[in-house]
Amino acid sequence: MTTGHESEDNSVMAGEKEWYGKAGRSPFVEDGFTPELMARIEAAADSHRAAKRRFHSGKSLGFTCLAALLLLGVLVWPLNGWGKGDFTGKLSSLWRTSTGAAVQPSISPQTYNPPIGSAEFEIGGMKYYMPLPLDRNKGFAKAVETSAGIVWSPPPPRVDYLKPKYTHNTEPYTLYLTPKGHSELSAASAKRIYTFPLYAGGAQTYFELGYIFGTGDYLLFTHSAYTLGTERIPNTGKISVIDIRKAEEGELIVPRELQEFDSTYSLYKSFMAIDQDREELLLVYYTQDGKGGYVQHNKLYDIATGKTQVLSGSITTEKKDKPTLNSGETIEDDPIASVTAIYEVNGEKRKVDTTFLTGRQWFYDWWYEEYGEKIDPSTMNN
């Protein structure tokens, strides 16, 4: 998400538009966009917008970003990550900020005045800010709520922005813990709970922290590794867990891997959902059946133990109605309305809001609904 300081982000992205840098992101990989691809995406989006209807201000950037993500073959995008423009503050109260992406809360400047360059968050109805140097990209700042407090990670310094294959952080990613309600997220007033390795297997291979998710006593995070000078492999990476209670008590922390991802999780209508109350992770993914269709698979993780079970029966989804403002006007600026997963566990019917829609078909359906045009999936592979 954007934090509203576009001019500062532009300086970080070497003069390019902010969404160019973010469009190449996923929980596991970054970079890979070319100027030609960026221009083609914007031209296509502008053409479709003009042909269909006039959109609300701020909507075009979200649409373009979403198209860009799928063109690159990105694994997932956050459901609440597309609020742009003046309605961002209104949307913040309608969606959970479970992905930990920085937002621009709707806050009066007289009552809330974080330092210039800060990444801002609204979590659990509270406002937080993370002071950052002006050379940092606030889009990489992360913060989520756990039972022990707010876990957050500042974006480390990076170099070689003009050379995508050589762009890398020069310091490791670090996780900090700040008490709930303490609005400033800074290392001086926080407890450092874990520092990831800078390198992952060699001096030219780097550890990459993706997204973080708070769920009760645990922190889930996606991560990957990349080697300088080589092409990044999309749709690959892992999701692991840290017991925040142990971190809070100062015990030695060893992240525990839950799942390794591959391109399977971008097929059809794959998604991931976190049950906050039960501290469970549901992964739904598909494989091709050889007849032009797909077969659904699932894994339900007990986050505390790492144990899994395969649920019987089909897992379905339903889209929530688009939220409305007090005036009764429907908010049209969310590219994809919130989706709820419906499934049974030992005879108990459950409904859980999805955390990530990872399959490409979600995008194809959305594009058709918005523009009345079906996308040929074969044109989206490159």
Side-chain angles (χ1 to χ4, degrees), residues 352-373:
V352 176
D353 290 343
T354 62
T355 300
F356 276 126
L357 303 178
T358 68
R360 290 186 172 193
Q361 191 61 45
W362 296 106
F363 170 74
Y364 300 154
D365 290 350
W366 167 80
W367 187 272
Y368 180 74
E369 291 176 4
E370 291 295 327
Y371 300 115
E373 178 183 345

Side-chain angles (χ1 to χ4, degrees), residues 292-312:
Y294 298 91
V295 178
Q296 185 185 85
H297 307 272
N298 70 79
K299 290 182 181 179
L300 181 65
Y301 285 85
D302 182 316
I303 296 174
T305 65
K307 294 181 179 180
T308 65
Q309 60 176 307
V310 176
L311 305 180
S312 60

Side-chain angles (χ1 to χ4, degrees), residues 262-275:
D262 57 28
S263 59
T264 299
Y265 289 86
S266 67
L267 289 179
Y268 194 52
K269 289 191 173 183
S270 301
F271 65 86
M272 181 175 77
I274 297 176
D275 188 326

Side-chain angles (χ1 to χ4, degrees), residues 190-242:
K191 178 182 179 65
R192 184 174 63 86
I193 60 175
Y194 190 75
T195 297
F196 295 95
L198 177 61
Y199 302 106
Q204 298 296 310
T205 300
Y206 287 79
F207 175 91
E208 184 78 28
L209 178 65
Y211 288 84
I212 62 176
F213 311 91
T215 172
D217 295 331
Y218 300 93
L219 180 82
L220 296 176
F221 62 94
T222 61
H223 57 102
S224 63
Y226 63 93
T227 301
L228 298 187
T230 64
E231 295 287 347
R232 301 210 183 177
I233 303 174
N235 307 329
T236 59
K238 299 177 181 180
I239 185 167
S240 298
V241 60
I242 288 177

Side-chain angles (χ1 to χ4, degrees), residues 7-322:
S7 61
E8 297 167 10
D9 283 347
N10 284 356
S11 66
V12 175
M13 296 310 298
E16 296 178 337
K17 294 185 178 181
E18 178 190 9
W19 76 265
Y20 288 171
K22 294 182 180 180
R25 293 178 59 193
S26 80
F28 312 113
V29 293
E30 298 177 20
D31 305 321
F33 263 37
T34 64
E36 291 79 14
L37 180 56
M38 296 170 188
R40 181 163 59 90
I41 294 168
E42 280 212 82
D46 288 340
S47 174
H48 284 293
R49 283 194 297 272
K52 185 174 184 291
R53 59 183 172 86
R54 182 178 66 85
F55 295 103
H56 296 286
S57 63
K59 188 173 183 181
S60 61
L61 182 59
F63 283 175
T64 307
C65 288
L66 189 58
L69 285 172
L70 269 295
L71 279 171
L72 190 61
V74 169
L75 176 62
V76 298
W77 63 90
L79 282 171
N80 60 345
W82 301 103
K84 307 290 182 183
D86 297 336
F87 55 85
T88 304
K90 299 171 184 175
L91 288 178
S92 65
S93 62
L94 298 171
W95 280 281
R96 295 180 295 109
T97 54
S98 59
T99 64
V103 300
Q104 176 70 37
S106 179
I107 302 167
S108 170
Q110 288 75 29
T111 59
Y112 188 84
N113 189 28
I116 294 176
S118 297
E120 301 177 53
F121 305 84
E122 186 165 352
I123 305 172
M126 300 295 296
K127 281 78 174 179
Y128 299 88
Y129 64 91
M130 185 188 303
L132 295 171
L134 293 179
D135 65 347
R136 306 295 173 84
N137 188 334
K138 294 182 291 295
F140 289 84
K142 306 166 176 63
V144 294
E145 183 177 19
T146 68
S147 61
I150 305 301
V151 176
W152 55 278
S153 177
R158 296 163 67 86
V159 296
D160 289 326
Y161 286 98
L162 296 179
K163 300 177 181 179
K165 291 183 181 180
Y166 293 90
T167 299
H168 64 92
N169 51 299
T170 57
E171 296 178 9
Y173 291 88
T174 301
L175 296 173
Y176 295 92
L177 178 64
T178 293
K180 296 177 184 178
H182 187 81
S183 60
E184 182 179 359
L185 304 178
S186 65
S189 58
K191 178 182 179 65
R192 184 174 63 86
I193 60 175
Y194 190 75
T195 297
F196 295 95
L198 177 61
Y199 302 106
Q204 298 296 310
T205 300
Y206 287 79
F207 175 91
E208 184 78 28
L209 178 65
Y211 288 84
I212 62 176
F213 311 91
T215 172
D217 295 331
Y218 300 93
L219 180 82
L220 296 176
F221 62 94
T222 61
H223 57 102
S224 63
Y226 63 93
T227 301
L228 298 187
T230 64
E231 295 287 347
R232 301 210 183 177
I233 303 174
N235 307 329
T236 59
K238 299 177 181 180
I239 185 167
S240 298
V241 60
I242 288 177
D243 189 330
I244 296 299
R245 296 170 302 178
K246 294 182 178 180
E248 184 182 22
E249 295 169 359
E251 295 185 27
L252 178 64
I253 299 301
V254 179
R256 174 165 46 87
E257 181 182 323
L258 286 180
Q259 176 68 39
E260 185 170 349
F261 291 93
D262 57 28
S263 59
T264 299
Y265 289 86
S266 67
L267 289 179
Y268 194 52
K269 289 191 173 183
S270 301
F271 65 86
M272 181 175 77
I274 297 176
D275 188 326
Q276 299 284 343
D277 296 330
R278 299 179 180 86
E279 296 183 338
E280 293 178 340
L281 169 67
L282 174 65
L283 297 177
V284 176
Y285 57 101
Y286 291 81
T287 56
Q288 295 179 333
D289 63 4
K291 302 176 183 178
Y294 298 91
V295 178
Q296 185 185 85
H297 307 272
N298 70 79
K299 290 182 181 179
L300 181 65
Y301 285 85
D302 182 316
I303 296 174
T305 65
K307 294 181 179 180
T308 65
Q309 60 176 307
V310 176
L311 305 180
S312 60
S314 177
I315 297 174
T316 60
T317 59
E318 63 181 16
K319 293 181 66 175
K320 291 183 177 180
D321 293 335
K322 290 187 177 181

